[in-house]
Amino acid sequence: MKADRIHNFNAGPAALPLPVLEEIQESFLNFAGSGMSITEVSHRSKWFDDVINDAVVRAKRILKLDDRYHVLFVQGGASMQFCMIPMNLLGAGDTADYVNTGTWSTKAIKEAEIQGKAIRVVASSEDRNFSYIPEGIAFNPNAVYAHITSNNTIKGTQWAQFPDTSGVPIVSDMSSDIFSRPLDVEKFGMIYAGAQKNMGPAGVCMVIIREDLLGRSPKDIPTMLRYSTFAEKNSMFNTPPCFSVYTVQLVLKWLEETIGGLDKMAALNRKKADLLYDYMDQSEFYRGTAEKNSRSLMNVTFRLPSEDLEKTFVAEALENGLGGLKGHRSVGGCRASIYNPTPLASVEALLDFMKTFERKNG
Ligand SMILES: *Cc1c(COP(=O)(O)O)cnc(C)c1O
């Protein structure tokens, strides 16, 4: 069974660490001596309390978050946050800045506009098909927050450094690069991430929000859409997605205890991405689509000389045990998603395949 597993380069839901999957499998029928599956225990039980509390403690420790930050688990994916953020943070007369770096930023902007909020798009990389991260942006010092997408899953770009916002708190969609590198958390008022890229199964979004932003929600927001509801009840105002939270807990434990923390994780991620980019840079056959200084260490997007070759590449890769290499349907081409859980060995296998494919078809 284990031998049948492929090298998984899916963009999301994506690969999870094998030791985590094995631990889930082993404890699935009898979780922590409860005599029940994790999918059967009450979310009001001590068993689940231990899970969610440990997940929060680990997230805070890994990111070095102080007590001003709350770690919440919210349903509705990262997409729900696109509407919850302006709904909770922007009252009458408030304004926020948005940077548009691709598909997900565009959606975040749209959800603020639907609500008639006074937001301003302060920079966009749409002029060059979202192939780069804008620099030298003039943020409004009176904005309540500055929204960015730290890693652009579809376009294959990533903020290498976070922008200077003159003290305006950054709100960042980190769905596809949370926990992939150390952060200067001071700059952030809020970080959110759908779990299914870098830390777990679909069904839960981690929201890290600072006390001062938490207190902004207008009175007329529905209970389930208010951040304070989740903060006051340790994300258990209603039944949380228990299994997803449990898996996130195990992935964070793996990150701390097996990988050894964020510095080690970042070094490994850099090594994996460099293997692919260095090869592409000396090849005339593969062409990276992101500008060099904006390249994502998580989603490596590239083209081959023709769309026919791209189709053959994806199909032959799968025959060779390498899955998920097709680019997003909106952009075409190829994409290797190499999130935290993707082992170095998978990237090495992909590199070997790319070399062989180029020799045969180049
Ligand atoms: C996948 C993704 C989303 C959407 O996540 P859902 O959980 O499906 O809503 C949003 N932002 C980024 C950067 C993503 O990669």
Side-chain angles (χ1 to χ4, degrees), residues 23 45 88 105 107 111 114-115 145 155 167 174 191 199 237 270 279 299 304-305 310 325 333 340 345:
E23 183 168 346
S45 65
N88 280 269
S105 310
K107 291 190 174 189
E111 293 302 311
I114 285 177
Q115 298 176 58
Y145 62 87
K155 310 290 180 183
M174 290 198 189
I191 290 166
M199 60 177 165
F237 171 77
R270 165 67 64 184
Y279 177 64
N299 307 97
L304 276 64
E310 285 165 351
L325 290 165
N340 284 353

Side-chain angles (χ1 to χ4, degrees), residues 157-211:
T157 63
Q158 186 177 27
W159 293 76
Q161 272 96 40
F162 291 105
D164 179 6
T165 53
S166 318
V168 172
I170 298 177
V171 170
S172 182
D173 178 355
M174 290 198 189
S175 293
S176 47
D177 69 348
I178 192 168
F179 299 122
S180 71
R181 53 181 171 169
L183 284 181
D184 176 9
V185 229
E186 275 302 310
K187 291 185 150 181
F188 295 88
M190 181 176 154
I191 290 166
Y192 63 101
Q196 71 274 19
K197 273 79 183 226
N198 229 351
M199 60 177 165
V204 72
C205 181
M206 184 181 281
V207 172
I208 298 166
I209 183 167
R210 211 170 60 194
E211 198 75 47

Side-chain angles (χ1 to χ4, degrees), residues 227-296:
Y227 290 121
S228 55
T229 301
F230 291 83
E232 283 159 15
K233 303 284 186 189
N234 198 21
S235 303
M236 290 190 282
F237 171 77
N238 75 328
T239 319
C242 300
F243 179 72
S244 298
V245 174
Y246 168 58
T247 309
V248 168
Q249 180 223 354
L250 294 184
V251 170
L252 296 183
K253 186 170 124 204
W254 166 85
L255 178 46
E256 287 197 294
E257 295 173 8
T258 306
I259 297 295
L262 273 196
D263 288 321
K264 296 252 172 63
M265 191 75 256
L268 182 56
N269 285 332
R270 165 67 64 184
K271 187 170 174 184
K272 288 186 291 182
D274 279 352
L275 275 181
L276 298 179
Y277 286 124
D278 287 350
Y279 177 64
M280 273 166 23
D281 282 345
Q282 57 74 53
S283 157
E284 311 232 304
F285 188 75
Y286 300 100
R287 180 174 54 82
T289 59
E291 293 183 17
K292 274 190 188 176
N293 59 358
S294 301
R295 282 172 166 172
S296 167

Side-chain angles (χ1 to χ4, degrees), residues 64-114:
K64 298 193 169 70
L65 302 172
D66 63 43
D67 286 341
R68 291 171 305 158
Y69 291 90
H70 295 257
V71 177
L72 315 177
F73 293 99
V74 183
Q75 298 190 51
S79 300
M80 180 72 98
Q81 295 310 306
F82 298 160
C83 77
M84 276 178 77
I85 292 163
M87 188 181 282
N88 280 269
L89 305 189
L90 297 179
D94 290 336
T95 167
D97 285 351
Y98 278 71
V99 181
N100 190 0
T101 52
T103 314
W104 299 115
S105 310
T106 303
K107 291 190 174 189
I109 290 163
K110 181 178 167 204
E111 293 302 311
E113 286 175 343
I114 285 177

Side-chain angles (χ1 to χ4, degrees), residues 283-338:
S283 157
E284 311 232 304
F285 188 75
Y286 300 100
R287 180 174 54 82
T289 59
E291 293 183 17
K292 274 190 188 176
N293 59 358
S294 301
R295 282 172 166 172
S296 167
L297 303 189
M298 301 276 101
N299 307 97
V300 178
T301 49
F302 55 98
R303 306 294 314 231
L304 276 64
S306 73
E307 286 186 17
D308 278 348
L309 275 171
E310 285 165 351
K311 268 198 198 116
T312 315
F313 176 85
V314 170
E316 275 187 25
L318 189 57
E319 282 164 24
N320 285 274
L322 305 155
L325 290 165
K326 193 166 181 288
H328 190 267
R329 60 191 184 283
S330 66
V331 295
C334 300
R335 170 175 56 175
S337 296
I338 50 172

